[in-house]
Every structure is written in structure tokens, then in C-alpha cells.
Amino acid sequence: MTMATTLALTGANLLTCDRSGTLLTDRTVLVGEDGTITAVGPSQELADRAASAQRQIDCAGKWVMPGLINAHAHLMADGRPLPQTLTIPAAARVIVGFWKTPLGRPMLRERARGFVECELNAGVTTLRCLGEYDNEAITLGRDSETGRWSGPRITASGPLLAITGGHGAELGLARVVDAPWEGRKAVRQNLHLGATSIEIAATGGVTDAKVVGEAGRPQMTVEEMTAICEEAHSAGVLVAAHAQSPEGVLRSLKAGVDTIEHGSAMTDEIVELFHDNPKSLRGWSALDATLLAAAPLVEIDRNITGASEVVKENARIVLDSMTQGIRDAIRNDVVLGSGLDSSMTFTPHYAMWRELDLVVSRAGLSPARALEAVTRVNAKMLGLESVTGAVEPGLSADLLVLGANPLDDLRALEGVEKVIARGNVIDSPTVERFGEIDELLDTMRG
């Protein structure tokens, strides 16, 4: 990665990533020494300024767009089938306990750094990490922000908050919350670690479900979630809720949650609360769509994914409801972002484009809106719209150079030729891919 200097990207086909899919031809983007975009306009008008830049990148015949924002990342695994030890509570707790020791923490941090670098080389210039072993993502985000490490922008939650026996709790992946004041304490603990977001498990999940129907079953009470939201909001921090059923989503929104992770089919009451949520930090809430983590568990042989019959059936139930929820969000113009749920089985860190591709083929989102979701909308959803998410003067130079137009085929995002994060250029981004997994995932394309 070359460090930020004055930079000019010239002659580009510029994808604005607005809802209508506007494409501007023969555009130049100028970047200052501080990694901020200073000008965007017709190449002819900016020719003299581009010529004086310390570096010029000829983008004739290329497409330039904002860097991708992964609004739901984990750094616990690489996306291959999760090791069985991580699904066995006693073994998982031992592993998690080791990661929190003086010997384990540096190893965990370097492991997590590798996963983040994979996302960056695949075009993700901003990610929100929801649910950590300890504070590994928080630390990486701080190092990136201060320039100690040339990584992407990271907002991170610290450990998940869940009830006794709830999603992630028995695996040692959560702070246990069984009362409103315990919720406030857990938020304070994560904020003390440096968390810039908070995640709660409002319902059961798929990967650690023990019986059919557990995924999506409400777990945390409205009172507990309300206390968590109030405590986080008093610090100006947004709250995300893992919620995979209408009742779980409704309870979360009533408590003031800012983003619903995964989601479900929507009722009129749910739609209204997305639009007008007086307890949320900003008066509205958003849906962070994720399909890729569930779809392979349903559609690929269990002998390959390693999923149990219980996990597969829960994934099927949740996948159907999440897909309907995305359709409902589109129809009712709910703020709709996009997350990869990276680290889950068959959800590699380089696969953000596959998540978008699924939402387009399964839920009817247009390619233009998919690109808007993973850039402009995600920036708005995470409170970063004044920082990133678009190619506009004053915003961070988080940019991708592509050899093909993703509006024609989202797979173009797989062939990122250059990644620019805060003005720092990765000239030859490289990603280690899992060929057998990619071949299986290709069978799921619409």
C-alpha cells in the first residue's frame, strides 16, 4: 500500500451509487495529502490540477466507485465451515478463554488483522464488527484510525450482549445480561473497552440453536433492551440487534434499537417503527440485510457445510422470513443496508459481492439499489455519511477501481483492480480464495 499523497484518478467512468444508478463518464477525482477528496468533475475541467498531482492513475476504460461498507462483520473465522469445537459449548469456552489471556490476545489480534486485510483487499474500506471475543476489532480500528496500521475504517462493538443461555452466551461469546441494570453495566464495560457500537441478541440464532424454532425466538426483554439502548445512546453510540422474527424485531424497535440485523417479515407496526422510532438515537431505524450466511446452510449438502439437521431447518425458516423482510423493506422504503455476516460458514471475508447478488436475485433489489445499500445507505445507517460512502468533495477517499461495470453484473466487484482507503492506494489487491467453496456458492446464483 502506498501512503496518501496528492492523487488524481483521471478519465474514469464514475459510479455515483445513487438509487437510480447514475454513471458519469470521463470524470477525474482529486485527492489531497490528508486522504480527502478535494474535487470531482469532468476530466477536461480538472486537467491542470490533475497534472500537478504527485501521482496520476489513468482510469480510462475503468469504473470508479465508493469503497464497500460491510455493516455486519465478525473476525472469528475465515468463512470455511466452522470447526466443530466452536459449536460445542465447553470446548468453545476454553478457546475463547485462551484468546483473552496475555498469550492469546496478541495471537487473536494478528488473526483478526488477517481477516480485516482480506476484506480490505476485496474492496471493503469500512466495516462494522458486531460481536468480538474480546476487544480485537476495537484495537484494530483504533490502530487504523491513528495511522499505526494502514487498515480500513472499523467501528466495533466488543462482546455481544445476550441473556443466560441466549445466542452466543453458552459459547462464551457474550456478556450475560439478565436485568436492565446488568444491561447498562455491560454497555459501560464495552464502552470502556473503546466500543463504537453495541450489539444485542434479541432472539435466538441459527448456528447455536438446539431445537427447531429456536432461531428467531425472542430472548431479551423489552425492558432489558431499553436500558441498553438508553445507556448506549447517552454516549452517542448506535445499537444493533440480532433479531430474526417479527416479534423479536418488534420488541427491539420498541426498545429503541437503531439497526435490525438479519430481520424478518414485517407487519404494519414494524414498518411504522422503522420510519418513526422515538426511542432510537436518530428517530428512525434501519434494516441490515444478510442472506449469504443462511442460504448455504439450506441449499448445500449438510455433509459439506457441517450443519446439523436442526441448524439447517432453522436456517430455512429464518432465510424465508429474512427474504420477505427485505421485500417488505423495499416496498415500504425502509432504510435498507447490507452486511455480509463474514466468518460464518461459507461466508468468506472476500464475498461481499455475493451478499449483494443474493439480495438482487432472491429479494428483487435492483443492482443500482444494491450498490447504494453497500455504500451510501450503509454510511447513513452507521452515522458515517459525512465521512464516507460516496465520491464527493470533503469525504474520505475510499474508492475502488474496477475493470467492469457492476451494474451489468455484480461479479465485477470480485475483480477489484485497485483499492484506495483514506487516500492510501493498494495497487495490486490480492485475496486468498477458497475454490471449492466458491464453486458451490456459484450454484446459488440466480
Side-chain angles (χ1 to χ4, degrees), residues 72-149:
H72 193 120
H74 300 287
L75 303 179
M76 63 184 67
D78 60 13
R80 288 179 285 191
L82 290 173
Q84 288 300 310
T85 50
L86 285 179
T87 64
I88 301 170
R93 286 195 294 271
V94 170
I95 293 170
V96 174
F98 169 73
W99 290 134
K100 296 181 180 181
T101 65
L103 177 63
R105 279 195 177 97
M107 296 170 62
L108 173 64
R109 198 165 299 151
E110 284 309 302
R111 187 169 177 267
R113 188 193 303 269
F115 298 148
V116 172
E117 288 178 343
C118 179
E119 298 225 8
L120 178 61
N121 278 266
V124 174
T125 55
T126 299
L127 65 159
R128 177 177 59 165
C129 294
L130 295 175
E132 304 176 59
Y133 289 117
D134 191 26
N135 69 335
E136 62 275 12
I138 292 171
T139 301
L140 290 172
R142 186 184 297 123
D143 287 350
S144 178
E145 199 69 35
T146 58
R148 294 179 60 189
W149 169 55

Side-chain angles (χ1 to χ4, degrees), residues 122 350 353-354 402 410-416 433 438 442:
Y350 57 79
W353 76 270
R354 290 189 183 275
L402 307 172
L410 288 165
R411 189 163 207 148
L413 293 170
E414 190 176 53
V416 178
R433 302 184 187 276
D438 288 341
D442 280 343

